[in-house]
């Protein structure tokens, strides 16, 4: 049995036994032994003869911090790093951890809402079918798939690519927003009787910028995939290229036929995992693999639905009805501070931690100095003829106001013109970083 009270023979006589320390810290002796074994909270002294543990009362605050961090669900491995930091650095780490938890919860919420919408629609369709007196009246709700022309891509500075679709680009006219959302088309499942066939026309461009000597950004534009990635660290260029390569249609099984909503969600999850593995493999030879990685924002097109894969602070925008909507949420420290009201958008522009990512694809599955490796967000989007999508790295969004982005995206007649205008805006703003952007128009498919 552990001795109670103060340890008269321990050090200067100021240490207490594990039983006393358990009462002071409001932790069980079992928990204290576990924290000792894991290196989270070492006793001040272990008796070499009988193995009794003795603690300094000054360790109470640290013990309580460990307990509090466990209560918010933080993994023990991360707690070990936090308790070794000073108070200010620990506060930053805790904020980053919780922002990540909230981002992942939001992603799960979006998926749950999609499933509610999808299953409700299926249930309604089944009810109508069962109530119908003529089963031949039912119609495939997935719609038809449109075709596009040749594929183009851009992976280096000054290269563009496009995918030609139907000549009729449709109107960039206004359609209603989704109920309860400021961003249109968040969870909708398109299709139904009389649904038109759609396709995309797209282009991509990357540029080194005016300051950097190398380009770690990558971009791709094709009939099935639109993607940008912003690499960082020693293996940044390899990471961004590998992430996009893992999402190309040959990797995720995209064919000429439209995938069902459920199949597309599964494909998105699989390709997100593939991108994570590809980045880890690409940067493994680096001296510091967990300091290298990439952001990734991509859209996968099946002919009737658009799937979104997103991690980091590259962005996706939707132009619809003359309004530009940001449809991704930055996984960054400053964005989390904006979200909780501790930082204004104006202050965020000059915040010293504005480059700190809370989520990114990195070389190792553990915390890195600039990012935390974790799963990308995935989701489905409703598309309408006349929509124009913009994907870009922060080399564009960090230096060009959204009002200027909107004006450039509206003014451009074609995706090729749009990406050239956007890169030009980044240069006019000083071009301090690499730039990657991709633009796609949703058009009515040409009749075959």
């Amino acid at each position: 049995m552990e001795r109670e009270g103060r340890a008269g023979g321990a050090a200067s006589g100021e240490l207490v036994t594990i039983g006393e320390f358990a009462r002071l810290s409001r932790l069980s002796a079992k928990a204290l032994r576990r924290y000792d074994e894991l290196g989270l909270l070492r006793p001040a002294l272990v008796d070499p003869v009988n193995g009794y543990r003795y603690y300094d009362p000054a360790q109470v605050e640290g013990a309580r911090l460990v307990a509090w961090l466990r209560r918010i669900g933080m993994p023990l491995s991360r707690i070990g790093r936090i308790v070794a930091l000073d108070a200010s650095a620990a506060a930053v780490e805790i904020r980053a951890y919780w922002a990540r938890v909230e981002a992942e919860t939001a992603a799960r919420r979006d998926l749950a809402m999609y499933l509610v919408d999808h299953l409700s629609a299926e249930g309604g369709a089944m009810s109508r079918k069962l109530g119908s007196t003529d089963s031949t009246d039912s119609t495939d709700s997935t719609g038809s798939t449109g075709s596009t022309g040749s594929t183009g891509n851009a992976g280096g500075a000054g290269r563009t690519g496009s995918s030609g679709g139907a000549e009729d680009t449709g109107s960039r006219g206004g359609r209603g927003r989704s109920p309860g959302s400021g961003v249109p088309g968040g969870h909708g499942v398109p299709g139904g009787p009389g649904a038109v066939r759609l396709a995309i026309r797209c282009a991509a461009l990357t540029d080194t910028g005016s300051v950097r000597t190398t380009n770690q950004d990558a971009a791709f534009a094709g009939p099935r995939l639109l993607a940008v990635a912003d690499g960082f660290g020693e293996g940044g260029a390899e990471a961004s290229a590998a992430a996009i390569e893992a999402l190309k249609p040959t990797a995720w099984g995209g064919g000429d036929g439209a995938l069902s909503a459920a199949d597309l969600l599964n494909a998105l999850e699989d390709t997100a995992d593939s991108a994570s593995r590809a980045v880890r493999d690409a940067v493994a030879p680096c001296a510091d693999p967990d300091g290298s990685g990439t952001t990734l924002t991509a859209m996968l097109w099946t002919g009737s639905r658009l799937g979104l894969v997103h991690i980091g602070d590259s962005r996706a925008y939707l132009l619809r009805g003359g309004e530009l909507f940001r449809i991704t949420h930055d996984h960054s420290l400053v964005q989390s501070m904006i979200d909780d009201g501790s930082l204004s958008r104006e202050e965020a522009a000059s915040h010293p931690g504005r480059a700190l990512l809370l989520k990114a694809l990195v070389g190792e599955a553990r915390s890195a100095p600039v990012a935390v490796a974790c799963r990308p967000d995935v989701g489905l989007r409703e598309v309408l003829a006349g929509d124009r999508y913009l994907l870009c790295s922060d080399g564009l969004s960090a230096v060009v106001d959204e009002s200027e982005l909107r004006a450039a995206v509206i003014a451009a007649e074609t995706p090729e013109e749009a990406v050239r205008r956007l890169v030009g805006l980044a240069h006019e703003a000083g071009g301090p970083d690499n730039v990657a952007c991709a633009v796609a128009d949703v058009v009515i498919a040409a009749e075959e």
Side-chain angles (χ1 to χ4, degrees), residues 170-409:
S171 63
R172 214 158 285 136
R175 297 290 185 101
R177 300 185 189 184
S178 301
S181 171
V183 180
H187 307 292
V189 180
V196 298
R197 297 196 306 167
L198 302 175
I200 60 172
R201 299 177 61 190
C202 51
L205 178 63
T206 70
D207 188 87
T208 304
S210 304
V211 176
R212 302 290 179 87
T213 58
T214 59
N215 190 0
Q216 294 186 310
D217 283 9
F220 182 88
R224 296 292 181 186
L225 174 67
L226 197 73
V228 298
D230 181 358
F232 55 83
E234 176 190 352
E238 292 79 5
S240 60
I244 291 180
E245 190 65 30
L247 264 66
K248 288 185 178 179
T250 53
W252 61 274
D256 292 335
L259 295 178
S260 69
D263 287 342
L264 180 54
L265 271 177
N266 289 337
L268 291 173
E269 293 283 355
D270 291 344
T271 51
D273 289 341
S274 297
S276 298
R277 289 192 299 270
V279 169
R280 288 197 295 271
D281 292 344
V283 302
C286 297
D288 181 22
D290 62 353
S292 296
T294 185
T295 69
L296 177 65
T297 300
M299 288 184 159
L300 285 68
W301 173 250
T302 70
S304 62
R305 293 179 177 88
L306 228 169
L308 177 67
V309 177
H310 170 68
I311 187 168
D313 63 354
S314 294
R315 294 180 176 179
Y317 295 89
L318 164 64
L319 179 70
R320 180 180 288 177
E323 294 187 71
L324 188 69
F325 304 91
R326 176 149 59 107
I327 59 175
T328 54
H329 196 73
D330 292 351
H331 300 136
S332 65
L333 177 64
V334 295
Q335 183 63 60
S336 72
M337 297 174 73
I338 292 171
D339 293 342
D340 66 22
S342 60
L343 197 68
S344 69
R345 293 189 180 278
E346 293 72 22
E347 292 169 332
S350 58
H351 191 278
R354 61 187 179 278
L356 179 62
L357 298 177
L358 302 181
K359 293 175 67 174
L361 301 178
V362 296
E364 296 288 345
R366 62 175 187 267
S367 291
V370 293
V372 176
C374 47
R375 195 183 193 91
D377 297 340
V378 300
L380 300 183
R381 295 208 56 84
E382 176 188 2
V383 294
L384 299 173
D387 286 348
R388 173 169 281 183
Y389 288 91
L390 162 65
L391 277 58
C392 66
S393 65
D394 69 340
L396 178 64
S397 60
V399 298
V400 179
D401 291 337
E402 286 192 5
S403 60
E404 294 182 86
L405 291 181
R406 174 180 173 276
V409 173

Side-chain angles (χ1 to χ4, degrees), residues 135-153:
S135 61
T136 61
D137 289 340
S138 61
T139 304
D140 181 3
S141 63
T142 61
S144 304
T145 177
S147 61
T148 56
S150 60
T151 301
N153 63 79

